[in-house]
Amino acid sequence: MTQYILALDQGTTSSRAILFDRQGAIAGIAQQEFTQHFPHPGWVEHDASEIWQSQFAVAKKVLQDKGLAAKDIAAIGITNQRETTVLWERKTGEPIAHAIVWQDRRTAPICDALRKDGKADLIQQKTGLVLDAYFSGTKVQWLLDNVGGARSRAERGELAFGTVDSWLTFNLCGRHVTDPSNASRTMLFNIHTQQWDDELLDLLKVPKSLLPEVVPSSGKIADTDVLGDPIPIAGIAGDQQAATFGQACHAPGMAKNTYGTGCFMLMNTGEKAIASSNNLLTTVGWNVDNKTAYMLEGSVFMGGATVQWLRDGLGIIQTAAEVEQLAASVPDTGGVVFVPAFTGLGAPYWDAYARGTILGMTRGTTKAHIARAALDSIAYQTADVLEAMHKDSGIALSELRVDGGAARNDLLMQFQADVLGVSVVRPQVTETTALGAAYLAGLGVGFWKSLDEIASQWKVERKFDPQMSDEDRNSKLGLWRQGIERSRKWAE
């Protein structure tokens, strides 16, 4: 009897495979990092073949480590870094170029031109997205115009475009599909009609023949036999929507924040798409049982990646886990403000030309103060997003559910509660991105029977209540926003 769901969690810096049992508990995990390519300032690329090879390797490894075979797996769920854009040959399955990663800023001039032509409102109205280089549409256009012969080959139907979920599914079973959560991040998908939009395709010069079929987020897509006996692929969702599902934020007004490479706050707004007036995104959360749940989302580009930079760029820590101890060795930042706008600023600023800034340093500033300011910056960026979300939704949160790697950092979580003035709740299972993909797949094959059954499995591990005075909170946020202003339009 099948006892597990296998979640394939393909992230920005690593591929992971996680086994979940019927109680939603982790039964096994395997992880492998892969190469980050930075060919020019502001450019970020991945080798799509390496993504697939690393994902396949960890899927095999997690089964081997547990002594399991394909017959022990009820279904596979896929969750993925969103917006990252892959073009490949339909016949051979070979990528025609490196994937352009969501962090990549090379298409900012294309966005500027569309904005100048007055297209920003049209794009936001149809897609729920802010016109920005973050999304897939302009990345596809760039690849078609800059890879030799790509546009003519696309027009002949020889090429396929997909976000990473599509790429993995194609390699697993040969089908070219995506789900509404990922489609809604392309700037090519009308979130109201739930269809690829011909007007947007013309605007961005993307042939319709490139596009995947859009299938529900939960439900059997196809079987894959790459791990042995056939296993149904039965769930797909972009990483942030999957995390929201895994956090059991199934009802309108519930919200979560994921601390991964970036930080992503999503609030469930139910079956109604709420247009943002405060530079947030409106996005599809998931489509389950023929019902679409919409979300308001605030996207912060540099979350855990800020800590990675302390490790790889500055060398002031050897491992990411060391940052908490180093930051805790000082009582505060000593007046230092760190704005980690290395790839521009996301919500609610959307400034592609902002750049990383460290302010307020003195001769007494140490690496501990910089580490503390780096952690604080993650919490401040989240506070900016929550303020915008409150304005859009009119909902004052009673709690924020948190997950992702940096959610294990107690110092950061306490400071997060302090600057939000809202309780921060960490669940027992913080791998909620993979868990959400597993739940979607499990629902799709009857492994779990209902949303209520899933919600009953969510358990609190620790709650952080705010301890900071309003005066102190406002003072710190005021200093942070001064720092934001100094970082903006630097590279314009």
Side-chain angles (χ1 to χ4, degrees):
M1 184 178 176
T2 53
Q3 294 297 317
Y4 302 100
I5 300 289
L6 175 60
L8 304 182
D9 182 359
Q10 205 299 300
T12 308
T13 58
S14 70
S15 296
R16 301 190 304 162
I18 304 181
L19 288 168
F20 291 94
D21 64 20
R22 289 186 184 276
Q23 287 69 51
I26 293 173
I29 185 166
Q31 180 169 348
Q32 183 176 317
E33 291 194 5
F34 58 89
T35 312
Q36 308 293 305
H37 299 271
F38 308 102
H40 300 287
W43 291 30
V44 188
E45 296 180 350
H46 291 158
D47 179 341
S49 295
E50 188 183 5
I51 286 177
W52 163 242
Q53 289 157 7
S54 63
Q55 190 65 75
F56 180 48
V58 293
K60 287 194 297 183
K61 186 175 189 305
V62 77
L63 294 185
Q64 289 167 357
D65 288 350
K66 290 289 290 183
L68 299 174
K71 61 182 174 55
D72 299 308
I73 308 303
I76 291 173
I78 295 171
T79 185
N80 55 288
Q81 52 165 315
R82 302 172 304 171
E83 299 93 22
T84 294
T85 298
V86 188
L87 276 185
W88 68 91
E89 295 177 340
R90 289 186 181 277
K91 189 174 288 186
T92 67
E94 291 295 318
I96 67 164
H98 274 176
I100 301 181
V101 178
W102 59 272
Q103 297 166 315
D104 190 285
R105 309 308 295 168
R106 78 185 69 178
T107 63
I110 299 175
C111 296
D112 292 342
L114 288 167
R115 197 172 291 107
K116 190 175 179 181
D117 287 346
K119 303 301 184 184
D121 287 347
L122 171 72
I123 288 169
Q124 185 164 19
Q125 180 187 350
K126 288 185 175 231
T127 68
L129 306 176
V130 174
L131 174 55
D132 191 79
Y134 176 29
F135 305 106
S136 310
T138 57
K139 300 180 195 299
V140 183
Q141 182 181 333
W142 190 95
L143 285 167
L144 292 176
D145 289 338
N146 287 276
V147 176
R151 184 165 290 283
S152 59
R153 294 187 69 193
E155 287 167 354
R156 291 196 299 271
E158 296 173 12
L159 302 182
F161 149 69
T163 43
V164 171
D165 59 304
S166 298
W167 171 240
L168 294 181
T169 307
F170 184 84
N171 280 280
L172 285 164
C173 69
R175 282 196 71 185
H176 184 208
V177 300
T178 191
D179 89 300
S181 73
N182 280 294
S184 71
R185 313 296 297 188
T186 61
M187 224 158 68
L188 303 169
F189 186 74
N190 188 315
I191 62 171
H192 309 290
T193 65
Q194 300 276 299
Q195 302 287 329
W196 299 115
D197 191 280
D198 290 332
E199 187 176 9
L200 295 175
L201 293 173
D202 289 344
L203 187 64
L204 291 165
K205 307 182 184 69
V206 175
K208 200 167 192 175
S209 62
L210 279 175
L211 301 175
E213 177 188 355
V214 181
V215 298
S217 308
S218 179
K220 182 175 174 179
I221 296 159
D223 287 331
T224 180
D225 59 7
V226 300
L227 294 169
D229 292 329
I231 307 171
I233 303 167
I236 298 176
D239 52 11
Q240 302 314 317
Q241 292 97 324
T244 311
F245 199 80
Q247 284 275 36
C249 293
H250 302 147
M254 299 182 76
K256 70 89 203 177
N257 196 39
T258 295
Y259 300 82
T261 301
C263 285
F264 301 88
M265 186 185 294
L266 275 74
M267 176 186 284
N268 188 329
T269 63
E271 294 183 58
K272 178 177 171 54
I274 295 178
S276 175
S277 304
N278 293 280
N279 289 327
L280 298 180
L281 310 177
T282 306
T283 197
V284 174
W286 49 77
N287 179 282
V288 175
D289 294 333
N290 295 316
K291 292 181 180 177
T292 297
Y294 290 94
M295 308 279 145
L296 279 172
E297 175 176 333
S299 312
V300 169
F301 297 153
M302 295 293 293
T306 308
V307 177
Q308 238 179 1
W309 181 77
L310 294 180
R311 182 192 69 187
D312 301 337
L314 289 189
I316 66 173
I317 52 175
Q318 298 304 306
T319 67
E322 292 173 22
V323 72
E324 183 173 6
Q325 184 179 356
L326 179 60
S329 69
V330 290
D332 54 39
T333 68
V336 174
V337 174
F338 183 170
V339 181
F342 296 104
T343 57
L345 287 169
Y349 302 103
W350 295 106
D351 184 347
Y353 301 104
R355 288 296 177 265
T357 308
I358 303 177
L359 298 159
M361 290 187 292
T362 68
R363 286 285 298 274
T365 298
T366 67
K367 61 184 181 181
H369 293 109
I370 293 172
R372 183 87 183 222
L375 286 186
D376 286 2
S377 76
I378 298 170
Y380 286 135
Q381 290 176 98
T382 299
D384 289 342
V385 169
L386 183 59
E387 182 178 326
M389 203 166 273
H390 175 63
K391 289 176 182 175
D392 276 337
S393 67
I395 297 170
L397 284 190
S398 59
E399 66 176 31
L400 179 66
R401 296 184 173 186
V402 298
D403 55 70
R408 299 189 189 95
N409 185 315
D410 291 349
L411 182 69
L412 173 58
M413 291 300 98
Q414 183 57 57
F415 190 73
Q416 185 70 87
D418 289 342
V419 296
L420 292 179
V422 169
S423 294
V424 167
V425 183
R426 185 169 64 201
Q428 289 180 4
V429 178
T430 56
E431 298 290 357
T432 52
T433 300
L435 180 59
Y439 278 149
L440 288 166
L443 280 174
V445 296
F447 190 83
W448 291 291
K449 302 302 182 189
S450 67
L451 293 179
D452 287 343
E453 182 183 358
I454 287 170
S456 72
Q457 295 184 350
W458 188 89
K459 300 286 192 301
V460 176
E461 183 265 326
R462 183 166 173 184
K463 185 178 180 183
F464 299 85
D465 293 318
Q467 299 172 356
M468 189 180 288
S469 69
D470 290 345
E471 182 182 2
D472 199 11
R473 179 183 304 118
N474 292 334
S475 172
K476 288 180 182 297
L477 285 168
L479 196 63
W480 160 253
R481 283 164 187 160
Q482 286 183 49
I484 285 281
E485 289 310 308
R486 283 161 173 75
S487 76
R488 299 196 65 181
K489 303 192 185 304
W490 186 264
E492 197 168 39

